[in-house]
Amino acid sequence: MQLKPRKQHIFNTRNLVGKDYIVGDIHGQIQRLYVQLITLEFNFQTDRLFCTGDLISRGDESIDCINLLTKKWFFSVMGNHEQLFLLGFQSPGYWDFLRQKEGEWLSQHMHRFDLLIRWKTLIDITMPLARTIDVNGKTIGISHASSTSSWKRLQNGTLSDDDIWHVLWSRPLQNAHSCAGIDEVDYVVHGHSPVDRVTCHGNRYWIDTFSLKQELSIINLNDL
């Protein structure tokens, strides 16, 4: 079963009043996120934080992480775990899978269909498959696991089910040939693939360090 995100792409204009940061997959670690943001002196009034997706699962604070989608300073793309949650409305077996992956956050609220619909709506409206950010004249793309070879195609082209699977689930770092640069964009940032440090190939960065280091990577986008 495949699911096409309601929004394929969102463009974020330049932040004229503050800084832009990006964090890898959060996976329910909201307290750790706030501690690191405070250490960075993140300004919640003027700065923006972008995320590579996978707000939910594994950590105990998945619901709090979903609620980040209501914050004016927070922006994310869809991760494969959000896709699984949405697929659960078509086939509950996907919810069973999430509940097996440290999914108490979901198990405790299966009787609250109003909450499930609220989370679905937040994900549908605010988590596109990809984002492009204008950072001082540079274009920086975000997609969860990987990208089509042309960023413009990911922005506004017609994507097949295989393309969507590739963007949400593939692990290019397992095959060097899959790490080729992305055309028509300055840089692209991904999560999903566990790395022990921020990893760069061409104009692409992988920043999902939490599963290996127990520390989120938060990068100032002006430093790319």
Side-chain angles (χ1 to χ4, degrees), residues 179-181 186-187 200-205:
C179 297
D186 289 312
Y187 301 102
C200 177
H201 287 273
N203 66 343
R204 304 170 70 181
Y205 290 83

Side-chain angles (χ1 to χ4, degrees), residues 1-6 78 82-88 90 120 123-124 129 161 164-165 168:
M1 186 178 293
Q2 185 58 272
L3 176 103
K4 292 189 176 181
R6 181 180 293 187
M78 182 177 293
E82 283 81 33
Q83 185 198 37
L84 289 170
F85 174 74
L86 295 181
L87 285 169
Q90 301 177 38
K120 177 182 185 298
I123 292 168
D124 273 337
L129 192 64
D161 287 349
I164 294 170
W165 181 91
L168 290 173

Side-chain angles (χ1 to χ4, degrees), residues 15-21 34 37 41-49 71-75:
N15 185 352
L16 298 176
V17 295
K19 301 175 182 177
D20 284 341
Y21 296 86
Y34 275 117
L37 288 176
E41 299 183 349
F42 183 88
N43 187 324
F44 293 91
Q45 301 303 314
T46 60
D47 295 341
R48 300 187 298 191
L49 180 66
K71 305 296 184 183
K72 292 182 178 180
W73 49 268
F74 185 83
F75 306 86

Side-chain angles (χ1 to χ4, degrees), residues 84-148:
L84 289 170
F85 174 74
L86 295 181
L87 285 169
F89 288 88
Q90 301 177 38
S91 175
Y94 292 98
W95 285 343
D96 292 339
F97 178 81
L98 284 176
R99 291 161 70 185
Q100 294 167 11
K101 302 294 183 180
E102 301 177 55
E104 282 302 305
W105 67 276
L106 183 56
S107 296
Q108 293 172 2
H109 296 89
M110 290 299 294
H111 65 292
R112 291 288 308 276
F113 198 69
D114 59 325
L115 278 180
L116 300 179
I117 289 294
R118 178 181 184 273
W119 299 336
K120 177 182 185 298
T121 302
L122 274 175
I123 292 168
D124 273 337
I125 292 174
T126 66
M127 299 182 80
L129 192 64
R131 287 182 182 271
T132 306
I133 317 162
D134 180 346
V135 182
N136 293 328
K138 295 182 295 185
T139 54
I140 298 180
I142 309 172
S143 56
H144 180 60
S146 191
S147 171
T148 53

